[in-house]
Amino acid sequence: MKQRNHLPEPHRCWAQIDLAALERNLRLIRGSLPAHIRYVAVVKADAYGHGLHHAAARMMHSGADLFAVANVSEAAQLRELGPGWPILLLSPVLPEEDRFLVELDLAATVSTPEEVTRFEAIGRAAGKKLKVHLKIDTGMGRLGVWHTDAPALCAQILAADHLELAGVFTHFASPDDDAAFTAEQRRRFLDALGRCKGLALDSLFIHADNSAGLETMPGKSPFNAVRVGLLQFGILPHPNSMLAQVRTEPVFSFHTRVGIVKALPAGTTISYGRTHTLTRDSKVAVLCAGYGDGIPRAVSNKAQVLIHGQRCRVLGRVTMDQTIVDVTGLPDIKCGDEVVLVGRQGEAEISITEFSRWADTIPWETLCSVTKRVPRLYRTPLGI
Ligand SMILES: *Cc1c(COP(=O)(O)O)cnc(C)c1O
């Protein structure tokens, strides 16, 4: 509570990132899995908006075995933290990016025979073995070789002198709400794996499970790694998730401040498009953040924020730099007071899941929507 009135920096809108919570989460997730399961930390999209450098550096000390990023430029940022850490690219490599596979020592995802031929040529030209993970499409319909064609592609990789098969993986389409299809995807994956000849399973990363997948991960199987994104940031993949038992905590919180407070008479319409009309004489606060910071316009007239530990409703449309809220019930509110958009204030809490529902989206997208204008402050709250 003290912090609220003594902000050290004059920020208007910021995200607070609790790296100690990230570390605890990672240890909790690892602790909930059998000891032999290796941990692929998914840190694409700037570590889900938490900041790639800070998040990955902390995870290097907290039990990550391999990092997965979307693309070469994310991998380059990650590689700045040091050589040696295995990095997997989850997205396809463009032809102009080929040389970075060697320069940055990256493992590529392989889905097609053309990629195998291309990567083999890069490896040969560099006089090195390039690491690849074979991706098998078991029903996502995105990257990966269709599962019935996997054995042929696998054989092509194993026959390539300048490729080293480091892993085999698949990705679930509906792990959060379709257990039967997820089981079918697992079956297709294991079946394809069984038909790939000459695989040394123990020395490969065999991975399928993202956060929601962990709920149905079988105890005993060739799966020997998980590929976790959202859960490590303390967010459940769906509200009724049994992963709540793992007791991870939110790492991210989203804050702004009160710009002005003023009284307005009943009947006044609020903001662009006049979508809200005050039904009573009201006190409103204009907040120092809008969609230019990552408060989606979709939450107009829906979201609530925390001020002085109380929930206050958003009135009218969110604008680029400002958002208007009803503070009629808050006698002492003043310019500069801290506002929590996502996170805790006193006893009250707005989870990112609740916020995302107002925006008709999912926590993954909410985190990716926090803009560059918003500084990430790496601070663990005192007293917890
Ligand atoms: C993003 C991503 C993940 C992580 O998913 P979460 O649901 O955030 O845990 C895992 N695998 C692939 C291929 C991904 O693109």
Side-chain angles (χ1 to χ4, degrees):
M1 294 295 252
K2 264 197 210 113
Q3 276 186 345
R4 190 200 300 149
N5 299 323
H6 298 95
L7 289 170
E9 303 96 351
H11 295 297
R12 307 175 68 84
C13 180
W14 67 99
Q16 191 164 311
I17 309 298
D18 182 350
L19 292 173
L22 176 63
E23 176 164 352
R24 287 193 293 272
N25 290 346
L26 208 134
R27 292 187 195 283
L28 283 168
I29 298 166
R30 284 215 72 142
S32 73
L33 295 167
H36 72 284
I37 301 285
R38 284 175 290 178
Y39 190 95
V40 179
V42 180
V43 291
K44 63 197 182 195
D46 203 27
Y48 289 49
H50 292 67
L52 178 61
H53 265 172
H54 285 85
R58 192 65 173 241
M59 291 163 127
M60 286 174 177
H61 296 287
S62 323
D65 295 304
L66 186 157
F67 289 94
V69 293
N71 57 48
V72 165
S73 70
E74 291 179 356
Q77 288 178 49
L78 187 54
R79 191 47 92 215
E80 294 209 332
L81 289 174
W85 281 94
I87 300 176
L88 169 63
L89 296 172
L90 294 173
S91 300
V93 179
L94 294 172
E96 311 85 81
E97 296 172 329
D98 281 352
R99 64 190 178 93
F100 294 107
L101 295 177
V102 177
E103 286 177 23
L104 298 172
D105 186 20
L106 309 177
T109 291
V110 169
S111 310
T112 68
E114 293 75 23
E115 286 174 318
V116 176
T117 307
R118 203 173 111 213
F119 296 154
E120 163 66 13
I122 300 166
R124 181 178 306 120
K128 288 194 176 145
K129 268 184 179 264
L130 285 192
K131 288 196 191 68
V132 295
H133 287 229
L134 168 62
K135 186 159 193 186
I136 301 180
D137 182 357
T138 55
M140 174 70 182
R142 196 174 62 175
L143 294 185
V145 58
W146 185 243
H147 59 101
T148 54
D149 301 330
L153 193 63
C154 182
Q156 193 190 348
I157 294 170
L158 293 178
D161 291 334
H162 298 90
L163 296 183
E164 176 193 334
L165 184 64
V168 185
F169 71 117
T170 192
H171 192 51
F172 297 134
S174 292
D176 49 344
D177 62 4
D178 193 337
F181 190 67
T182 306
E184 173 63 12
Q185 285 195 267
R186 286 189 196 280
R187 199 193 57 71
R188 289 175 180 174
F189 183 66
L190 294 179
D191 183 62
L193 217 49
R195 285 183 295 111
C196 290
K197 299 285 171 249
L199 287 184
L201 291 183
D202 288 347
S203 61
L204 299 176
F205 277 78
I206 308 289
H207 47 116
D209 292 276
N210 61 349
S211 298
L214 295 180
E215 296 182 9
T216 57
M217 189 172 174
K220 248 185 126 44
S221 79
F223 298 109
N224 61 22
V226 294
R227 207 170 59 243
V228 182
L230 196 72
L231 186 67
Q232 61 199 351
F233 301 108
I235 304 165
L236 298 177
H238 59 98
N240 302 320
S241 175
M242 49 193 250
L243 295 168
Q245 292 164 12
V246 182
R247 308 196 75 80
T248 58
E249 323 151 51
V251 175
F252 166 94
S253 57
F254 196 15
H255 309 251
T256 185
R257 298 175 73 192
V258 171
I260 66 163
V261 178
K262 69 177 180 182
L264 286 174
T268 306
T269 58
I270 304 291
S271 191
Y272 292 122
R274 307 178 65 207
T275 59
H276 182 82
T277 305
L278 295 179
T279 56
R280 56 173 182 184
D281 292 349
S282 303
K283 187 158 71 166
V284 303
V286 179
L287 311 182
C288 298
Y291 61 77
D293 303 279
I295 305 177
R297 195 161 165 278
V299 309
S300 300
N301 285 308
K302 287 194 198 152
Q304 300 173 0
V305 305
L306 302 177
I307 310 177
H308 294 192
Q310 304 290 319
R311 283 179 176 249
C312 303
R313 283 193 313 131
V314 168
L315 303 176
R317 290 212 177 124
V318 173
T319 71
M320 188 184 288
D321 311 308
Q322 282 127 30
T323 301
I324 303 130
V325 297
D326 182 4
V327 293
T328 308
L330 298 183
D332 302 326
I333 182 171
K334 59 183 188 316
C335 173
D337 285 355
E338 184 176 337
V339 179
V340 169
L341 301 162
V342 173
R344 276 188 167 283
Q345 196 179 58
E347 295 302 302
E349 179 169 17
I350 293 173
S351 71
I352 196 156
T353 303
E354 183 176 20
F355 184 90
S356 303
R357 218 178 291 130
W358 289 322
D360 199 17
T361 187
I362 52 175
W364 293 262
E365 190 183 32
T366 299
L367 288 168
C368 288
S369 305
V370 176
T371 65
K372 271 203 289 209
R373 183 157 86 181
V374 178
R376 273 62 167 175
L377 305 185
Y378 295 91
R379 189 182 300 147
T380 292
L382 302 173
I384 57 168

